[in-house]
């Protein structure tokens, strides 16, 4: 692309720098500045008198020193991020002198910076000026080019003055116009002359080989530089600007006209050239080497700043005076003209540049600029939105939408949606809403709008493509399902719910919207037990209404622990016969229509698509689900383990379905996993349903149900609650039930009470004999009844003695309670209970005597132990044993005696002499350990008050229990010795 086609802008603000009224101002006025370098927040001026002047940001001279006694400083370099400065001075009568200065180190005597090293640059004693100079940042290698076509490379440690070697690496008949390094795995030196561009490897692989010609066209002095971002070499010629890499020429920027110098300034390339009208005709060689006369004050210069990446001109102007020097520092570009003026070129802010582009509607440039500068997404999207708004105003709706889509992450969706609500642009709106969902930025309102758009266009394919996308959920699921249901797309709603495992919604859609009860039941039967149960209970009534048999069977399977999620096999039309599918053949003829319809609607849980394969011999056959047959398969695997609910939770589902409830109850009673409570509930409810059916059927049927009810009452181990049976029998006028309950199930206490209420003493005695062993509390009641009146006492006869003996043997009442019961009515005499009282008193006396003997024995043992302890503490102990208690041999020293009268050789104890104080008698150690263990257990149990309270609650002799735990110190006070 020719430079004439590039857009030109004013991206730089140009201002003349006002110099301070001091030595700095006079320095510019004298015009004896020979070279300039910048870096480390300063500018360094070299002059013809060999003096270096350092200027601050305010262009005040902060330091100056005499760097060279003779010659003019024509080349200077400041090493970035260091305090090192390299200078080269020459006077053409001697060879050039190179010096390295440490600006942060001052000489004590002179106060000037320390010169780290001084080097005379050799050129074969030929008096030619230095025309080019380059150095690596670590100063390990420097290259100096001369006007006679010679290049000298200097290697060494110039920073610490440890010596350096020089070598002439290149010779040419044409003067050197430029030198630069390219660093990488190998270090390459690019050499430019007026007639060619050459490369020379000076370190790394290929070192020592002669220079290679890269281009048979050279360049002028100052027209060669390096782009540090890409390491490409940039060459300016009269026809264009060329980029060169290791392999040769790269991009070319056509730009006609002579060029004085080029410079890389950030992302920009500056080109300085005199206008064509002021160009002086010269020979080709002279023009290439010198470009223009140096001291013509009336010549003007054309100055251009290019952005090669964005293909734009960032600044362009014609200077009234020629440019003498140019340098870059503090983020700005500075130019010194021949009339001793200093101009600053400051880049406008990014936003200001964008505003300039916006004014000219150059949004593509703005987008490219933002991409080049790697701005954040928020700022980039602002540009895209503005571009989209511009295109929308030009009625280019499709292209505008593309910009809105690119900026979708940081754009308020309503700003775009409002623009495209027109029916004619509904396709653009759909595209934007779909992208919102892809970026997971859609709200429920956006989902609603998108689905409405699909519905408006009646685009079922798009709708299905949207809801069946394979990626993660990118829209509000509830909203999408709700909109599909409202729009009548029940199949799509069910598919969407199934895809995201919203099983309850699937069942709800099948039942509430599609009225597909059989399909809903088939779906529930294919769910995991924990998921199937709530769905079954929620819709149990309606499923029993329309699919009573299958629903009842499902209830039976689930509540008996036999529930297994059903699986399905896909049978293709041309599949082999039943013997080829492993036992599935018998199920092909039993394929359920409901399952077939459901499989066509949405993928079933546990769908086994590989159960039956299509024969390989069939060519070009597309087998789809609608072409295949779905059959239910019964796997031999055991039922899934799940928590079986209480049977009573299912009773409410069978309202108005008594026959199905009876079938369910009878099936549940066959289960072996029922608890006692469950059995009571099942039998009671079944008994109620038998009675209910007996009253609601014809006479012949009535007898059948009554027989079943009687069997329940007569049956063994049938835990029907007696009160419930009596109540139900009364409500249903089932007299036989009440009789059977009293005779066979028995309300023992009530039966006995009924006899005593009727004063039927013989009947009461019979009930006592029959039910007393199972109902011990009848004996205290019988005692009170037998002594309630003299007549009853007379009828009871010897039965009173039997009751008293039973109460005494089983401990049903305390003696005091018996006396209080007998004394209530004053009917019984002392003679009647004399035997009972004497037996009780003798037993108590014997127990008291035994306790006293035990107390005396404990006291004697305690006194003996206390006496033994006192003797051990106060009296000397004599050891008379002559043989070791362990080995049995004669005792010899060293000997260990224990107070328990056992003596041992020290060697028999297997203990070091320094640890003898912790040694325990091995004979008594086991007994002592047992005592300590018992004591520790006693202390631990003393703190366990919960154990004491538990033992007290279970004990029949509570006083004895308190005494026992008192002996364990459970009632001791902490800190008080017992």
């Amino acid at each position: 692309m020719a430079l004439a086609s590039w857009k030109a802008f004013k991206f730089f603000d140009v201002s003349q720098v006002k110099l301070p009224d001091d030595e700095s101002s006079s320095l510019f006025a004298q015009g004896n500045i020979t070279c300039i370098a910048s870096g480390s927040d300063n500018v360094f001026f070299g002059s013809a008198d060999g003096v270096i002047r350092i200027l601050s940001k305010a262009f005040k001279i902060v330091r100056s020193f005499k760097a060279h006694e003779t010659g003019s400083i024509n080349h200077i370099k400041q090493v970035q991020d260091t305090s090192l400065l390299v200078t080269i001075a020459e006077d053409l009568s001697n060879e050039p002198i190179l010096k390295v200065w440490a600006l942060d180190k001052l000489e004590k005597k002179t106060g000037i910076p320390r010169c780290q090293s001084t080097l005379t640059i050799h050129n074969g004693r030929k008096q030619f000026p230095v025309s080019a100079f380059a150095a690596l940042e670590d100063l390990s290698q420097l290259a100096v080019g001369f006007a006679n076509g010679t290049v000298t490379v200097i290697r060494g440690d110039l920073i610490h003055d440890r010596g350096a070697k020089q070598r002439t690496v290149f010779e040419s008949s044409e003067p050197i116009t430029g030198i630069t390094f390219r660093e990488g795995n190998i270090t390459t030196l690019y050499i430019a002359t007026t007639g060619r561009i050459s490369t020379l490897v000076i370190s790394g692989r290929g070192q020592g080989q002669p220079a290679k010609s890269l281009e048979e066209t050279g360049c002028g002095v100052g027209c060669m530089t390096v782009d540090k971002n890409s390491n490409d070499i940039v060459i300016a010629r009269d026809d264009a600007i060329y980029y060169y890499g290791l392999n040769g020429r790269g991009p070319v920027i056509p730009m006609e006209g002579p060029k004085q110098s080029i410079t890389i300034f950030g992302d920009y390339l500056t080109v300085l050239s005199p206008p064509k009208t002021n160009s002086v005709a010269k020979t080709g060689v002279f023009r290439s080497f010198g470009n223009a006369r140096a001291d013509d004050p009336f010549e003007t210069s054309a100055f251009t700043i290019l952005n090669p990446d964005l293909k734009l001109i960032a600044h362009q102007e014609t200077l009234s005076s020629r440019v003498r020097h140019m340098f870059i520092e503090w983020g700005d570009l500075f130019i010194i003209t021949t009339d001793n003026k200093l101009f600053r070129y400051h880049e406008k802010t990014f936003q200001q540049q964008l505003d300039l582009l916006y004014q000219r509607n150059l949004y593509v440039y703005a987008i490219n600029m933002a991409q080049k500068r790697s701005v954040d997404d928020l700022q980039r999207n602002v540009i895209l939105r503005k571009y989209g708004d511009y295109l929308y105003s030009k009625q280019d709706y499709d292209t505008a939408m593309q910009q809105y889509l690119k900026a979708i992450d940081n754009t308020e969706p309503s700003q775009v949606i409002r623009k495209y609500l027109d029916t004619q642009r509904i396709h653009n709106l759909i595209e934007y809403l779909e992208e919102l969902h892809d970026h997971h930025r859609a709200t429920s309102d956006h989902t609603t709008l998108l689905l409405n758009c699909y519905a408006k266009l009646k685009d079922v394919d798009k709708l299905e493509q949207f809801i069946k996308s394979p990626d993660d959920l990118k829209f509000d699921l509830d909203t999408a399902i709700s909109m599909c249901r409202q729009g009548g797309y029940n199949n799509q709603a069910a598919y969407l719910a199934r895809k995201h495992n919203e099983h309850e919604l699937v069942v709800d859609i099948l039942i509430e919207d599609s009225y597909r009860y059989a399909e809903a039941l088939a779906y529930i039967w294919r769910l995991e037990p924990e998921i199937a149960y709530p769905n079954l209970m929620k819709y149990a009534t309606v499923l029993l209404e329309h699919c009573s048999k299958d629903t009842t069977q499902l209830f039976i399977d689930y509540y008996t622990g036999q529930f297994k999620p059903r699986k399905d096999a896909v049978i293709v039309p041309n599949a082999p016969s039943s013997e080829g599918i492993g036992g599935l053949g018998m199920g092909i003829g039993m394929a359920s229509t409901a399952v077939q319809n459901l499989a066509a609607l949405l993928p079933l849980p546990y769908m086994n698509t590989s159960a039956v394969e299509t024969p390989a011999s069939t060519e070009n056959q597309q087998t789809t689900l609608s072409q295949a047959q779905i059959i239910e398969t019964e796997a031999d695997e055991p039922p899934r383990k799940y928590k079986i609910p209480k049977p009573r939770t299912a009773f409410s589902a069978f309202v108005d379905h008594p026959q199905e409830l009876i079938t369910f109850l009878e099936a549940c009673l066959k289960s072996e996993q029922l608890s006692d409570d469950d059995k009571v509930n099942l039998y009671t409810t079944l008994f109620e349903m038998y009675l209910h059916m007996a009253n609601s059927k014809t006479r012949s049927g009535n007898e059948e149900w009554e027989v079943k009810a009687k069997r329940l009452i007569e049956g063994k181990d049938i835990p029907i609650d007696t009160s419930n049976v009596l109540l139900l029998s009364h409500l249903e006028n089932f007299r036989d039930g009440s009789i059977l309950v009293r005779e066979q199930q028995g309300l023992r206490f009530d039966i006995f009470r009924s006899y005593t209420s009727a004063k039927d003493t013989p009947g009461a005695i019979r009930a006592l004999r029959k039910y007393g062993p199972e109902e011990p509390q009848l004996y205290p009641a019988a005692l009170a009844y037998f002594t309630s009146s003299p007549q009853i006492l007379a009828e009871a006869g010897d039965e009173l003695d039997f009751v008293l003996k039973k109460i005494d043997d089983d401990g049903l009442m305390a003696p005091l309670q018996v006396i209080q019961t007998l004394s209530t009515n004053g009917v019984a005499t002392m003679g009647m209970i004399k035997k009972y009282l004497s037996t009780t008193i003798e037993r108590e006396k014997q127990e008291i005597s035994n306790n006293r003997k035990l107390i005396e024995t404990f006291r004697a043992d305690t006194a003996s132990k206390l006496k033994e302890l006192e003797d051990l503490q106060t009296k000397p102990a004599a050891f008379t044993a002559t043989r070791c208690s362990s080995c049995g041999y004669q005792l010899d020293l060293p000997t260990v005696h224990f107070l328990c009268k056992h003596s041992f050789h020290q060697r028999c104890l297997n203990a070091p002499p320094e640890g003898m104080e912790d040694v325990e008698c091995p004979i008594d150690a086991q007994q002592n350990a047992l005592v300590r263990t018992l004591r520790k257990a006693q202390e631990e149990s003393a703190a366990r008050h919960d154990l004491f309270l538990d033992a007290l609650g279970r004990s029949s002799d509570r006083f004895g229990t308190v005494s026992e735990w008192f002996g364990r110190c459970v009632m001791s006070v902490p800190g008080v010795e017992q």
Side-chain angles (χ1 to χ4, degrees), residues 470-502:
D471 300 329
D472 296 335
L473 185 64
K474 57 187 179 182
F475 50 82
D476 185 78
L477 180 63
D478 295 336
T479 301
I481 295 176
S482 176
M483 288 304 302
C484 288
R485 297 178 70 177
Q486 291 178 14
Y489 298 103
N490 296 327
N491 293 349
Q492 288 76 12
Y495 178 90
L496 194 57
R498 168 66 189 97
K499 177 183 177 182
H500 298 283
N501 294 322
E502 296 290 340

Side-chain angles (χ1 to χ4, degrees), residues 378-501:
L378 180 61
Q379 196 168 6
R380 180 184 65 85
N381 291 339
V382 170
I383 302 172
L384 292 171
R385 285 200 304 272
K386 288 181 176 294
Y387 187 31
D389 294 340
Y390 169 73
L391 294 172
Y392 184 87
S393 65
K394 298 297 183 181
Q395 299 184 356
D396 188 356
Y397 303 117
D398 293 337
T399 310
M401 176 54 68
Q402 297 306 313
Q403 308 310 314
Y404 291 137
L405 292 176
K406 294 177 183 178
I408 198 169
D409 288 332
N410 303 107
T411 303
E412 173 58 38
S414 60
Q415 298 177 1
V416 179
I417 292 174
R418 282 196 297 266
K419 297 177 182 291
Y420 288 88
L421 286 177
D422 192 293
T423 307
Q424 296 179 353
R425 294 191 287 275
I426 192 171
H427 294 285
N428 295 127
L429 180 59
I430 289 175
E431 184 180 12
Y432 187 76
L433 292 171
E434 288 175 343
E435 194 71 17
L436 276 178
H437 286 83
D438 288 339
H439 284 73
H440 299 279
R441 296 194 65 239
T443 64
S444 58
D445 293 335
H446 299 146
T447 303
T448 302
L449 181 58
L450 178 58
L451 295 178
N452 281 332
C453 290
Y454 289 148
K456 192 174 187 66
L457 296 178
K458 300 186 184 301
D459 194 342
V460 180
D461 294 337
K462 270 279 190 179
L463 175 62
E464 291 195 349
Q465 181 182 358
F466 175 71
I467 65 175
K468 294 181 180 181
S469 57
D471 300 329
D472 296 335
L473 185 64
K474 57 187 179 182
F475 50 82
D476 185 78
L477 180 63
D478 295 336
T479 301
I481 295 176
S482 176
M483 288 304 302
C484 288
R485 297 178 70 177
Q486 291 178 14
Y489 298 103
N490 296 327
N491 293 349
Q492 288 76 12
Y495 178 90
L496 194 57
R498 168 66 189 97
K499 177 183 177 182
H500 298 283
N501 294 322

Side-chain angles (χ1 to χ4, degrees), residues 646-719:
K646 296 289 185 182
R648 63 173 177 268
T649 58
F651 294 168
S652 60
F654 289 90
V655 175
D656 298 331
H657 299 280
Q659 184 64 59
E660 287 77 8
L661 178 58
I662 291 174
T663 304
F664 170 73
L665 294 173
E666 291 175 344
C668 288
L669 285 171
K670 297 178 183 178
S671 175
E672 299 178 355
Q673 303 177 4
L674 294 175
S675 64
D676 293 339
D677 291 341
D678 293 339
K679 290 180 180 180
V680 171
N681 290 326
L682 287 171
Y683 277 110
T684 302
T685 307
L686 185 59
F687 178 71
E688 179 184 2
M689 294 308 300
Y690 284 159
L691 297 181
H692 174 73
M693 295 298 290
N695 285 336
S696 60
K697 296 293 182 179
T698 61
R699 191 171 185 82
S700 59
N702 188 325
E703 295 177 355
E704 179 184 353
W705 294 114
E706 286 183 352
V707 170
K708 288 187 176 183
K710 289 179 181 179
R711 289 176 182 172
L712 285 183
I713 301 175
E714 294 172 348
K716 296 180 179 180
D717 301 328
I718 297 180

Side-chain angles (χ1 to χ4, degrees), residues 32 58 89 222 303 317 487:
N32 63 346
F303 182 59
E317 67 174 322

